[in-house]
Amino acid sequence: MAVVCSKGDWFVSSCSTTLVAIHLKQSREPFVFDCAKAEKKPKEADGGDKSAGDGPEEKDSDRILAFAASASGKHVALTDDHKRLVLFCTEPSWQCISTRWVVRRCTSLVFTQAEDEVFVADKSGDVYSFSVLEPQKPGELKLGHLSMLLDVTLSPDDKYIITADRDEKIRVSFRRSPYNIQAFCLGHREFVSALLVPAGHPDWLLSGSGDGTVKVWHYETGRRLHSVDLRQLGLDSENSDTEKRFAVSRILSSPDGRHVAVQCERLPSVQLFMVDSGTEGSLNPAETLALPLAPWDVTFDSQNQLWVLLESEDLNVLLYRYSEQNWKVHTCSSVTVFPCTEVNSSLTNCLCLFIAV
């Protein structure tokens, strides 16, 4: 499994135990961080704890479970299977500024817009807050759930923390007093796997689920504005079984707020939508990108280009640009793709992008 993210001038990818950051505009050496070589948790601090929510068959490893970048790209955080929370600053150069420890394995991270805190959701349903300004300060429990959390996000004004769980529910809580619940967004029939407050629409929430739908909410009131059943768009047209279950794994918004991309697990396609600029939260299906393989991950960069990371060693990345009302594959000789073996011999399926200035 590999994950990609583009923030500011940095393109960041993770695979297995390694995080790689490439500067998009300057010829710099890539920053590489290997969790297998990171600080180990002291045994006295561990205490042999086998936390609830971590099954007895799971053993500590150094595999990266999730990472996130702040809005400005000045901070990045990752969490791994060894229950580390590693915080980086990216300016003037990349460096690790702290390694802290979470209680249970984590599923999702998000920075506040103010970039003073990072929120961490874990497998037992808890959300912890870790200070960015005090990078050695232990985490603080903010809220709990009865079910495993699959995603967490924040409203653009940092007023609300929004969580999605395995039991079909989306909860909107006040960040400063999380015990006060503002609303629930209810309507999915399966686990809620992806959340997004889209660019340009700070009062909307997009959610994706194992029921194969994407829904648009006015999250402050919990009112559903729109729903799209992805199966009706032919995302799995090659499979004659129309009842086949598939889950949304990723929802992304382009920085200009015009486009939304949706990725589903194990499907070799990405669905693109145009965002209706009105107030009713409509997503208009625009195009289905047919891919040679199922993607590991997708991301928009600051130029509204769509990067697609494929499950392949030979052709790692496809780059799409929106032109003349269509998304077109862009071929550019200045983009060179190396397999992760060029960075770490233990990794065979990740990517490292070197982009010429």
Side-chain angles (χ1 to χ4, degrees), residues 83-300:
K83 304 177 189 174
R84 298 181 187 90
L85 176 70
V86 185
L87 180 64
F88 305 90
C89 66
T90 66
E91 294 184 1
S93 61
W94 275 72
Q95 67 179 65
C96 173
I97 57 177
S98 74
T99 299
R100 288 172 283 188
W101 308 96
V102 296
V103 178
R104 298 175 180 88
R105 289 176 175 87
C106 299
T107 56
S108 182
L109 309 172
V110 63
F111 282 91
T112 59
Q113 287 293 317
E115 302 191 17
D116 56 350
E117 290 180 283
V118 59
F119 284 84
V120 178
D122 69 28
K123 295 179 68 174
S124 69
D126 292 333
V127 177
Y128 286 81
S129 169
F130 288 82
S131 174
V132 174
L133 304 179
E134 301 178 77
Q136 305 302 327
K137 183 178 179 181
E140 179 183 351
L141 178 63
K142 290 295 185 178
L143 67 161
H145 299 68
L146 297 177
S147 179
M148 177 191 296
L149 292 180
L150 300 180
D151 206 359
V152 60
T153 192
L154 293 161
S155 59
D157 60 2
D158 287 338
K159 183 178 181 181
Y160 299 109
I161 180 168
I162 307 170
T163 52
D165 68 29
R166 194 170 55 179
D167 291 338
E168 310 162 15
K169 297 187 294 299
I170 301 169
R171 184 198 295 185
V172 183
S173 307
F174 285 91
R175 182 172 75 95
R176 295 297 185 187
S177 53
Y179 47 84
N180 286 326
I181 299 173
Q182 171 67 21
F184 285 98
C185 300
L186 304 176
H188 283 295
R189 300 186 307 277
E190 296 283 350
F191 57 88
V192 182
S193 48
L195 297 174
L196 174 74
V197 177
H201 297 278
D203 55 343
W204 292 3
L205 175 71
L206 276 57
S207 63
S209 168
D211 62 15
T213 67
V214 173
K215 299 186 189 297
V216 186
W217 312 85
H218 184 269
Y219 59 82
E220 197 166 19
T221 61
R223 182 167 65 96
R224 189 176 70 186
L225 303 176
H226 186 59
S227 181
V228 178
D229 189 337
L230 298 175
R231 287 168 292 196
Q232 296 180 359
L233 302 181
L235 260 69
D236 200 19
S237 58
E238 294 185 0
N239 194 310
S240 59
D241 181 7
T242 57
E243 296 302 315
K244 179 182 177 182
R245 170 175 163 177
F246 62 94
V248 175
S249 57
R250 194 94 144 91
I251 305 176
L252 292 165
S253 171
S254 61
D256 63 9
R258 296 175 57 200
H259 308 280
V260 166
V262 177
Q263 173 191 351
C264 293
E265 290 182 358
R266 297 183 297 277
L267 292 189
S269 60
V270 175
Q271 178 63 45
L272 276 302
F273 296 87
M274 292 291 293
V275 180
D276 191 328
S277 58
T279 59
E280 289 307 307
S282 178
L283 295 180
N284 300 316
E287 189 172 352
T288 302
L289 301 182
L291 305 174
L293 296 166
W296 259 323
D297 201 10
V298 296
T299 189
F300 283 103

Side-chain angles (χ1 to χ4, degrees), residues 112 312 344:
T112 59
S312 169
N344 186 327

